[in-house]
Structure formats: C-alpha cells, structure tokens
C-alpha cells in the first residue's frame, strides 16, 4: 500500500497550497530556531556587555559586523583578508589533501579488500595509524616537508585516508557471494568485474568512509593552519586573532568553521546518495 | 460505495448458531494518488467459539488487512467486526497476534519477552504468579530449558514457539496468526503445526490463521476460507474440512477426501482465481 | 547411450575447524539426458545446493567429477547458468542492464543489433517489458526472479541450474512462476537441474526427481520418474491418476528422512569406559557356522588381524545353526556374528511376526560359495539342468520332491526359490522345502529324506566326493557375486561400541583381503580343517576353494575364480541395492511384508557409511556399487527405484503386503 490517507477523514483539509506548505514545514523549522534563540539569550545573560572574559553575542556582533560579517571578501593584502578568503584558502587545501587521500585510500582499500595477503599484512598497521590524532602528525610533517603548506596538505592526507581505506576494504570484502558467483559464471574479465560489480557494490561503504574523512580533514586543516600563523586560512586567522586577543573574531571564525564543516558533510552525503540511490534496497 | 452484501458464495455453515466473532459487511477503501483503492469489498464471516479457521488467498488479497481489523490495528471503512457482540475498534489483549517474523525483542531473554506481555496485561498480579504463568507457557511450547536464551541464540522454530507462548500466556480469546510458519523449514513447520493443534485443543482458544500452504490448512483448520484476488477482494468460498479430531497427518493423507479438497482448493487458487504473475 | 551431463561418483568433503572432516556428499552418481528436467529434493542440509554448485563449477568435488558433453567441468562458465534463490541481480543496474551485462559479455563480438534483439526478446519472454527500466529494488520478489531467469536464459546456457528458485516466495506466488518457467524451458529445450523442497513444484516441472538422504554422507536414496505427458498444465497434472501416489512417495521419503534425522540426533555418546587402544571393548565373542566361507574370521584370529587392531582376546564361537546365531546376537551372548546376508534385514523387520530387532552390517564377509546339489537318483533319471527338473516333476505328478535349505532367512533359500521359479517351478506347490542345518544335509540326502539342497561349501562337494549327489547349479550360474555372509551385530551394540566396531570391521576387512590371495589358500585350508573351526576333510574343502570345481557329473572340473569371493571386485561393501533385492524376495515368498519404509530399513541395516570409513582408514577404495538396475541369470531386470513394480512383474509370486515396519515404536502423533 503506498498512500494511506484514509477515505473518511479526507474531507477536512481544503486550504490554499502555500498555507498548507507552511503548515507542514513549520514543525520542522521552528524548533531549531527557538533553540538557537534560547541559546543566544542564555549566553547574553551569562556574558553581559562590558564584562571581562568571554564577550556576549551582542558584543561579538558589534565588534565584528564590519568588516568580518558584512564583507567576507575584503582584501587588505597579506593575511588581512575577509573570512571568505580564509575559508576558501582552507577549502582549497582540504580539497587537495582530501582528493589525494580519496584516490590513494580507495585504491589501497580495494587492494586489501580483494587480496587476503595484503589484508593480513597491512590491516593491523592501518588500524593503529587511524587512531593517531592529526596534530601528532604535524611535527613529523614539518620535519619531513620544508614547506609548511605542504606539511599541512600531508596532515590532511594522512588524517583522512584511514577511514577511506578501512571502509572501502570492508565494502569490497562484503560483496555478496552471489554477485561474485554471477561474475564467475559469466566469466567477466577483471576490468569489467571491477567496474560493473566490485566498485558499485562497494560504493555505499566508500561513501561512508569519504564522509567520515571529509569531517576529519576539516578538523585537521584548522589544527594544521594554527601552526601556520601569518598565512591565509581560517586556522591561521584564529591563531592571529588569538595573539591579538580579538576574541569576537575568533567566535565568528568558529561559527564559520562549524557551518562550512556541516555543509561539507552534507555535500559528500548528497553526492553519495545520488550514486547509491535506489541501489541497496 | 457499495454497501450491499455482494458475497454470494458464503457457505451456509458460516452462519454459526452461537456467533463468537462476527465480521459483517466489512469493506476497506484506501485513498491513493490514483484514486480510491478498495482492498476488501463486503466481507462476511461468522466464527464460532473454539473454531480453527484458516484464510488462504494470493498476496494482495487483503487477508492481513482483514486480520488486522480483528486485532484492532486497522478499522473497516464500512461494516464492523464484533467479538462477543462488542464492536472491535482498537487492539486489545483478548486478541493476540503472532507474526511470521516472530517480533521478539532481541535484547531480552525468552522468559523476559513473555514476561513483558504478561506484566503488561496483568500489572496487578503478584510477581510470583506472573513468573509462574510465564514458566507454564514456556513449558507448554517445550522451551523450559531455553528460557534464559536470547532470540539470537534460538532457532527460527524456537523463536516462533516463544512468540506463541507469549501470545497464549495472556489468555487471549482469539489467537491470530499471520502466516506463522512461512519462514521455517519443512520439518520444523510440521512439528509446530502439531504443537499448535495440541495447544488449541487444550486451551480451546479460537484461532484465525493466514497461510499460503493448502496442506497446512487442511491439516489444521475446521474451515478454510478462500479469498478472491484484490482489489475488491472478498470471501470466495469456505471449505469445510471434515477430518475427525484428534488428527493424524498420515491418516488424513490416506483419506481420498483429502485429495478432493486439495484439488478443489488448487482449482480455486490456480484456475478460477489465478493470480496474474505480478 | 551417451549422456549430456554425468555426475560421476562425486564426493564433497569439507574440512572442519577442529581438524576433522565433514563428508557432505558421498558417491553421487547421476546421468542426465539432454533436455531433461531433473529436480533434487531433500531436507535442508542434505547437500543438494552443494551438488548444484559443483555442477555449476562454483564448488569443486573432493573426489569424482562432473562431465558435460564429454568434457569435465573445471570451473564456472556461462554454459551452466545458475538462477540463485536470492536472485543475485545487481541492484545498481536496471532490469535491462542486468540482462545486458550477461548478454554483452557472453556474446561479445556479435553485432550490437543482434545483442539488443536477444535482450529484448528475453525481457518479453518473462513479460517484463513494462519494468525494463526499473531497478531490482523497485520489483517484487517474483519479478526479480523472472529477471534472473531471463538473464540466465538469454545467454543460451546448455544447462540451467536453479537453486530453490522460488524458495523466497510464498507457496501461492510460486504457482504462476512455476508455470511460466515450465513454458520457457519447454520452448528453449534447455536441460535443467533444480534444487527444491517443494514437492508439488518438483512434480509439476520434472521428468525425474532425485531424492537425497540426509547428510552427513548424503547420497541418492531414490529416483522417481514422472511419466506425466508434456505439455503440462497444473490442474491436469494434479488430476493425473499417478499424481498423488507419486507425491505421497516423495513425502514418504522425506518423512523417513525426518525420522532418521531425529534418531541421529538422539543417539547418545557411549558411556562405556574406553580401555586401551581407544576401544570400548577389547575381548569379543563372535559366532560362526562351520562353512568354508567363515575363513575371514578364522584368518583374522589366527593371522593376528584382530590383535593388530587392538583386540586382546577374540573367541570364535562355533554355532550349530543359523537360528543359534540369531538368538546369540539377540540375547547379547554374542557380540557379533557371521550371518547369512539376509539375516540382518530379516531381524530388523521382525520377520516371522517377531518384534523388530535393529541389526546392522557394515561388511560383507564373502560372496558366492553356494551350490544346489541334487541326489544321484535324480541324476540317474537324467536330470542335468533346471529344465530337466521341471520335466521330471511333470513326469511324476505323484512324487513330492523334498529340497533342503538352511534357514528361512538365508540366501540359499532365496536363491533356490528364485532358481526354481525362474524355471517355472513353484517352490511352494511343485516341491517341498525343508529347513535343515548345513551339517545335517548329507545325512538327510543319504537317507533319502531329501532329493537335493542348497547350501554353502564344503557340504556340496562332500556329497560329490561321497558319490551321493551332483551339483546341478552353483552361484556363479545363478547370481554371480551375490552377497553371502556378512558381519552382523545389534544396532544398540554398535551405538555403545563405535570404536570397537570400527576396529572389528577393519580387522576383518584385512582378513578378507588376505583370504583372496591365491597364495594363502593352502594355509587357510589347513586352518579351516582344524576341528575347532570347520573340521572337515581337506579333500572336499579344496573343491572350488583351491581346486577346479568338480560337479560330480563326470564333466571336466572347471576352475571358478570367484567361487569363494572374499575381497576382490569391491566384494566387502554392503551395497544398498542388493539389500533392497533381498527385501523384495522376502516379500515375494510371503516370508515378510514388503516394508513401505524400505529405504529407512536398508539405510539402517546396510551401513555403507561405516564400511567406507573403515576402508578409508585402511587406504582401500570406499565406493559403493552404483545404484543401477541389475538382473540375475534369467535376465529379469530389478530396478532399485521401483521395487514394488518389480514384484508385480514376477510370474510366480505370493500375495504380498506393503506395510510400514515401525522399528522404534514411538507414540503416533495425533493432535
């Protein structure tokens, strides 16, 4: 049975469609708006204006509305730029690092998923490395790469790769025996097997890995950039603001980080859902 | 909306002298984006107390919808279902349901699963008495030793036994089984059929059971209700199954009536109301 | 006749995590003709899917092989397409793409248009044109299975393998699909093997139904031919006069297997303390009858085979008659005994109105070794053959010919009756049969109380050498290689002493091997002639055993190589088919009813599994003879799949009943 509105109770509703839509959507949007407003009120009460320490939301707003909130893309040269530029710079780094880790990670994941020997050989090492915090890689990266920017890329790469490898391998290993049997009976050549069966079957797992990985790389970039003060990037922006005791700027930057991280996560999830759509039912 | 009784093929025996459960002119219509969808159209059935009724029909014929109306999870669009002259409009412990997928809580032991139901229905009984009840019914289905096991540690047949124990422990007046043995292998299925009959005789409970298996119905039921295909499904015919009780599977299979009834039901299901291959 | 598919003595053994082995399939031998539809039926765990996977090449047999059109199957391939129970469609491809994946791969290189035509044709075939662009997730179970069937057929396999194709669907939804599958198979003339547990499905679709016994060591229990003409239509099929008879036969088979399964789960591990060498019992009391073919027992004792297998003391108890052997085993006085091949079956079915006593045999001790002796008087009347004897009876209607047999349940008895009946002599009306112990045959013949007898050696040769009679026929002329003596013991004794039994079988198996070496025969002869064993004179024990066989007719004695067969030609395996033949003969002469549950009886009595285990442990071949039709000297074919039909075809046969023999009386289920 698809639609299940009952016959008898179907006479009552007869309003215009917009009102109907609002009526429908309101219960979804209202609660979070109320919650955020409540949070801001409590924050304002706890940190009233003029007090020392953490500024209240009104103070944050007043101190940063111009230029940081209204002009995200001003450019005064050097690192003195709008938050938009900082975010973009960070996103660029994440993009490069994450893409690298996706390519390498999926490749390695397929390898250890398909090959028992490689699985036995490499899996324990991967399981250990994945627990290492991004920051712990930083000194190693800085020693290894003379260039701080490259070191940051490396940190993103090394942070993001583990969940991709592990999930991809899991996906490949979990391909139902039936699908493999189909391939065996049809004698599909290896290339076709990869493209037509192995890869599509593992896609949901791969995207689970990618989604975890994008979150981790966003975490890592902020941490990495914090050690790169003076350059463009949201992490550097925070550390520069911190050294200048501009707490309001930090708070705005933190909100930006949160929003961007959220959007990234949803974006990967959305791409994944496009590819996985209809498949695994 | 058609409200007159269009069910002409109603067996005269279904007019039981002392009606226990009455399904009267029941129709069910759903509104869909493509218009009205009539699932059941004028179903009449009267069940006597202690009867064992099996329902058979192709998928989509509304058997489950009908039983859901008896259990109270669903309500008829027109017509009504009465149990002992009370109109059924909501679920209640006097009508207990057993599903094909057992619906046991996986984090609870067999004992606790049954206890949960007993406790819900008899909150005021002393705990000792409630525990005694649970034990009694687990014993009845031969699961005393597995009482402390969780569903994952039980086989499919054992899980279904727990579900039956849970249903019976609260002393329902009607036991409703929705294709309870469909997921079990042949050996376990026969064992459970035999156990179900034993329990039914000992407890004199009224049973309504959906099945897809003609042999199962012929072995278990007093009457076999054969439904026509949906939409607008109704009761096509009711077969009286005359084998004396207690029944013995081998004996029944030696009876030529068995084959007449079986062929008759096959003819109904595969020729007169054959299902288009979906 | 050449076969399309030949499953050739396939075994499948799985290693267990604890280092043991699980024999899933044992000695599966099946030949399938082109265009045939064969179903495999059995309870879950009987290895039917394993067998199908082996044919598909997805699994490899441990022994044996599968031959398709003369070529051995070495791996999976599109010529043997499988339809799996869970459809195994790729969920990310549409119906059309799923089929195209297979077609494009298998017919790679053909023009695009042709491929497209094939794809569309098969979508039409299963009536799914409207759903061609849908993905499997949007389809019902029945539709998915139709896609899987279309995909399988689209690549034009030589063999279509169906693994419970409709198992995931409810019984009623299956109906329509079965008919569709039947139509498609008929149109495409494809050979099919289907695994199913649905009896009606098997009957509707199949030409032959192969019923597999429970695992472990699952094997073919019975094969049913379905002679319903094609094209078939469901309601016509169920109204076919044979339909319910066949259906009940399969259900009966499954019920027997269900009982066997229950019994197997109830057999408790023995509580007997295990003594040295891992045996529950190291001293045994074994019964034997003083006949030449008790040689394996004598050899096992005298040549140290018992000792080698861990027995400290084996007493060979010389018994006066077969009756004493049966009683000795029944009462437990004897642990085990040399028995006539018929006896374990006869005791198990409670022949003669007795309570059934389950007796098993895992070893044939000897084959052949009997002969029919007639008196010199008959010789002087010119009787030389069966035909002459028939004429002699006709000539002298007033004379009653008395013939001796050793026990109602002996092979001698059955063979003599068979021989007489084949010559048109009714053994109950035209002659008089008397039971006389072997050792007393000579005296009875001498005194004229009997005119002949059928017995084992040396009692025929003694009549020849004392010039009292002549040998009118011997085993090799009646049924070459028939089972004669077996090792028999109670089933409960076996359950309590599994290791002891295994050691006993191995010791005797080695002794049998020893007995068949011609170089050992002189030595064995001297052992047999010792008074505690046969105690007969060497000169007439030699006859046939070592020397050319003198029939006492003045003809040149002939060397009969297999006259006493102890081991060669897989002599020791207690094959089930010959056991079934024995059951038909007991019924034929009204000695016992024919057991409806013959399969259960034969499986329980003739323990091929234990024989094979012993043989494997000794490094000997562990193959049961094929379950094939065979014939005795009169060319009357015995088909193991139709024992009752065989009985009905015989000319001389008593009224017999087919009834279920309940061996373990349990409460009849009534609910």
């Amino acid at each position: 049975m698809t639609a299940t509105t009952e016959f008898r109770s179907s006479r009552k509703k007869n309003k215009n469609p917009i009102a109907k839509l609002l009526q429908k959507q309101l219960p979804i949007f209202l609660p979070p708006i109320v919650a955020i407003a409540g949070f801001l009120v409590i924050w304002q009460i706890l940190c009233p204006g003029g007090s020392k320490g953490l500024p209240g939301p009104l103070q944050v707003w007043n101190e940063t509305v111009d230029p940081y909130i209204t002009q995200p893309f001003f450019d005064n040269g050097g690192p003195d730029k709008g938050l938009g530029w900082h975010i973009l710079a960070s996103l660029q780094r994440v993009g490069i690092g994450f893409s690298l880790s996706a390519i390498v990670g999926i490749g390695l994941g397929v390898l250890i998923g398909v090959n028992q020997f490689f699985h036995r050989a490499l899996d324990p090492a991967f399981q250990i490395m994945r627990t290492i915090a991004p920051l712990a890689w930083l000194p190693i990266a800085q020693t290894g790469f003379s260039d701080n920017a490259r070191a940051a890329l490396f940190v993103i790469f090394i942070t993001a790769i583990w969940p991709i490898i592990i999930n991809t391998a899991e996906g490949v290993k979990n391909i139902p025996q039936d699908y493999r049997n189909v391939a065996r009976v049809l004698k599909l050549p290896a290339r076709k097997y990869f493209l037509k069966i192995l890869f599509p079957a593992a896609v949901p797992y791969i995207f689970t890995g990618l989604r975890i990985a994008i979150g981790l790389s966003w975490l890592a970039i902020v941490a990495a950039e914090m050690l790169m003060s003076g350059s463009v990037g949201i992490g550097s922006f925070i550390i520069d603001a911190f050294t200048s005791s501009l707490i309001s700027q930090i708070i705005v930057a933190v909100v930006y980080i949160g929003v961007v991280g959220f959007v990234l996560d949803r974006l990967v999830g959305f791409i994944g859902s496009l590819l996985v759509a209809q498949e695994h039912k | 909306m058609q409200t007159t009784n269009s069910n002409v093929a109603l067996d005269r025996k279904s007019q039981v002298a002392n009606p226990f459960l009455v399904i009267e002119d029941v129709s069910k219509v759903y509104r869909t984006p493509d218009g009205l969808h009539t699932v059941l159209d004028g179903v009449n059935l009267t069940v006597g107390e202690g009867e064992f009724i099996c329902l058979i029909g192709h998928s989509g014929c509304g058997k489950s919808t009908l039983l859901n109306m008896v259990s109270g999870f669903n309500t008829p669009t027109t017509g009504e279902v009465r149990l002992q002259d009370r109109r059924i409009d909501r679920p209640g412990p006097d009508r207990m349901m057993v599903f094909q997928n057992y619906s046991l809580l996986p984090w609870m032991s067999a004992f606790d699963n049954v206890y949960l139901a007993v406790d819900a229905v008899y909150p005021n009984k002393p705990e000792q008495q409630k525990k005694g009840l649970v034990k009694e019914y687990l014993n009845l289905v031969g699961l005393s030793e597995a009482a402390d096991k969780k569903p994952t540690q039980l086989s499919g047949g054992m899980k279904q036994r727990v579900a039956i124990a849970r249903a019976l422990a609260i002393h329902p007046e009607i036991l409703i089984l929705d294709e309870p043995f469909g997921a079990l292998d042949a050996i376990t299925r026969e064992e459970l059929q035999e156990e179900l009959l034993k329990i039914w005789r000992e407890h004199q409970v009224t049973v309504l059971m959906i099945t897809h298996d003609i042999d199962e119905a012929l072995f278990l039921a007093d009457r076999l209700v054969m439904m026509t295909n949906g939409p607008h499904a109704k009761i096509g015919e009711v077969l009286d199954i005359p084998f004396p009780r207690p029944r013995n599977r081998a004996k029944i299979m030696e009876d030529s009536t068995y084959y007449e009834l079986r062929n008759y039901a096959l003819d109904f299901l595969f020729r007169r109301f054959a299902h288009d291959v979906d | 006749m050449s076969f399309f598919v030949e499953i050739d003595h396939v075994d499948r053994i799985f290693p267990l995590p604890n280092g043991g082995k699980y024999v899933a399939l044992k000695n599966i031998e099946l030949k399938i003709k082109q265009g045939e539809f064969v179903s495999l039926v059995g309870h879950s765990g009987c290895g039917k899917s394993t067998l199908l996977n082996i044919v598909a090449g997805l699994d490899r047999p441990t022994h044996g092989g599968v031959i398709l059109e003369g070529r051995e199957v070495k791996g999976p391939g599109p010529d043997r397409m499988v339809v799996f129970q869970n459809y195994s469609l790729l969920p990310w491809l549409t119906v059309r793409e799923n089929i195209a994946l297979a077609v494009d791969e298998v017919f790679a290189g053909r023009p695009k248009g042709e491929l497209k035509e094939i794809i569309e044709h098969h979508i039409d075939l299963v009536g799914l044109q409207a759903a061609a662009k849908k993905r499997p997730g949007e389809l019902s179970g029945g539709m998915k299975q139709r896609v899987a069937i279309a995909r399988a057929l689209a690549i034009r396999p030589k063999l279509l393998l169906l693994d419970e194709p409709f198992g995931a669907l409810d019984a009623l939804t299956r109906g329509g699909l079965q008919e569709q599958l039947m139509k498609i198979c008929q149109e495409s003339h494809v050979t099919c093997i289907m695994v199913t547990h649905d009896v009606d499905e098997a009957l509707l679709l199949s030409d032959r139904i192969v019923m597999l016994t429970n695992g472990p060591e699952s094997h073919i229990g019975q094969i049913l031919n379905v002679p319903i003409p094609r094209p078939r239509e469901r309601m016509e099929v169920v109204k076919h006069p044979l339909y319910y008879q066949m259906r009940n036969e399969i259900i009966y088979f499954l019920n027997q297997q269900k009982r066997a399964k229950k019994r197997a789960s109830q057999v408790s591990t023995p509580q007997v303390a295990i003594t040295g060498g891992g045996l529950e019992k190291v001293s045994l009391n074994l019964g034997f009858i003083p006949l030449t073919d008790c040689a394996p027992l004598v050899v096992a004792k005298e040549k140290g085979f018992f000792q080698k297998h861990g027995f400290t003391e084996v007493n060979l108890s010389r018994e006066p008659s077969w009756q004493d052997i049966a009683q000795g085993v029944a009462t437990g006085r004897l642990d085990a005994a040399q028995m006539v091949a018929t006896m374990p079956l006869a005791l198990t079915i409670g022949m003669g109105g007795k309570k059934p006593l389950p007796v098993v045999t895992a070893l044939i001790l000897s084959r052949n070794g009997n002969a029919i002796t007639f008196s010199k008087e008959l010789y002087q009347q010119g009787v030389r053959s069966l035909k002459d004897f028939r004429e002699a009876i006709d000539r002298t209607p007033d004379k009653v010919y008395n013939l001796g047999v050793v026990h109602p349940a002996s092979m001698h008895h059955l063979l003599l009756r068979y021989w007489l009946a084949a010559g048109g002599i009714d053994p109950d009306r035209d002659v008089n049969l008397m039971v006389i112990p072997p050792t007393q045959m000579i005296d009875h013949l001498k005194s004229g109380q009997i005119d002949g007898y059928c017995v084992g050696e040396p009692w025929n040769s003694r009549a020849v050498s004392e010039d009292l009679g002549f040998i009118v026929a011997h085993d090799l002329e009646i049924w070459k290689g028939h089972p004669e003596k077996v090792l028999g013991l109670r089933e409960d004794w076996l359950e309590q002493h599994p290791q002891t039994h295994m050691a006993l079988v191995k010791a005797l198996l080695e002794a049998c091997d020893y007995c068949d070496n011609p170089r050992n025969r002189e030595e064995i002869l001297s052992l047999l002639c010792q008074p505690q064993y046969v105690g007969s004179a060497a000169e007439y024990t030699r006859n046939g055993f070592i020397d050319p066989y003198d029939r006492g007719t003045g003809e040149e004695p002939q060397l009969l190589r297999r006259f006493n067969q102890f081991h060669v030609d897989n002599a020791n395996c207690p094959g089930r088919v010959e056991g079934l033949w024995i059951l038909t003969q007991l019924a034929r002469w009204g000695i016992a009813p024919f057991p409806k549950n013959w399969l259960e009886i034969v499986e329980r009595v003739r323990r091929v599994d234990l024989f094979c285990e012993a043989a494997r442990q000794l490094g000997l071949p562990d193959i049961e003879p094929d379950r094939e039709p065979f014939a005795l000297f009169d060319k009357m074919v015995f088909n193991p799949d139709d024992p009752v039909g065989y009985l009905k075809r015989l000319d001389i046969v008593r009224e017999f009943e087919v009834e279920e023999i309940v061996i373990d009386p349990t409460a009849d289920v009534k609910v």
Side-chain angles (χ1 to χ4, degrees), chain B residues 56-59 179 185-187 189-191 193-195 197-198 201 211-215 219 245-249 251 253 258-259 262-263 266-267 269-271 277-278, chain C residues 43-44 128 140-143 146 170-177 179-180 197 200 233-235 238-239 243-244 247-248 251 254-255 257-258 261-262 596 668-671:
Chain B
I56 200 164
H58 292 283
S59 48
E179 221 195 319
D185 69 275
I187 293 181
R189 188 158 58 221
E190 290 188 359
E191 275 174 12
Q193 286 166 1
E194 277 151 21
E195 248 165 73
L197 267 197
K198 198 177 100 218
R201 279 176 65 79
T211 179
H212 282 116
D213 182 341
I214 296 173
D215 297 288
F219 177 57
R245 298 189 190 263
R247 286 180 182 172
N248 172 310
R249 200 186 295 275
K251 282 267 150 49
M253 303 242 318
Y258 183 85
Y259 301 107
R262 191 172 191 275
N263 279 356
L266 280 175
D267 190 61
L269 292 163
F270 287 114
R271 202 178 56 80
V277 178
D278 49 356
Chain C
H43 285 297
S44 43
L128 281 176
S140 71
M143 289 164 93
R146 275 148 69 198
D170 73 66
L172 299 182
T173 308
R174 272 178 229 162
L177 286 171
E179 281 170 54
Q180 207 172 23
H197 58 250
D200 296 291
E233 200 272 311
R234 180 185 301 275
M235 286 318 292
V238 300
K239 283 173 182 158
Y243 183 78
Y244 281 111
R247 186 173 188 269
N248 284 346
I251 289 175
L254 292 172
N255 279 339
Q257 292 305 310
K258 176 173 147 188
K261 208 172 193 175
K262 249 187 199 154
K596 192 178 172 198
D668 216 0
V669 187
K670 267 197 175 181
V671 283

Side-chain angles (χ1 to χ4, degrees), chain A residues 115-187:
Chain A
N115 190 303
Q116 189 65 25
F117 173 78
F118 282 111
H119 181 256
R120 290 209 180 109
L122 299 175
D123 191 62
F126 291 167
Q127 294 293 348
I128 291 168
M129 307 250 259
R130 80 186 170 91
T131 62
I132 298 170
L135 274 180
W137 289 106
L138 210 64
I140 299 169
Q142 282 183 320
T143 320
F145 298 89
S146 47
D147 178 9
N148 263 355
R150 285 203 188 149
L153 286 182
F154 175 75
V155 170
I156 293 164
F157 172 80
I158 207 78
T159 311
I161 197 166
W162 310 118
I164 301 176
I165 295 176
I166 288 162
N167 279 283
T168 306
E170 198 63 19
V172 171
K173 269 192 293 179
N174 282 339
I175 295 175
Q177 186 62 42
D178 287 332
Y179 299 167
R180 288 186 220 202
N181 282 345
V182 169
R184 287 176 66 196
V185 171
L186 293 176
K187 291 191 169 164

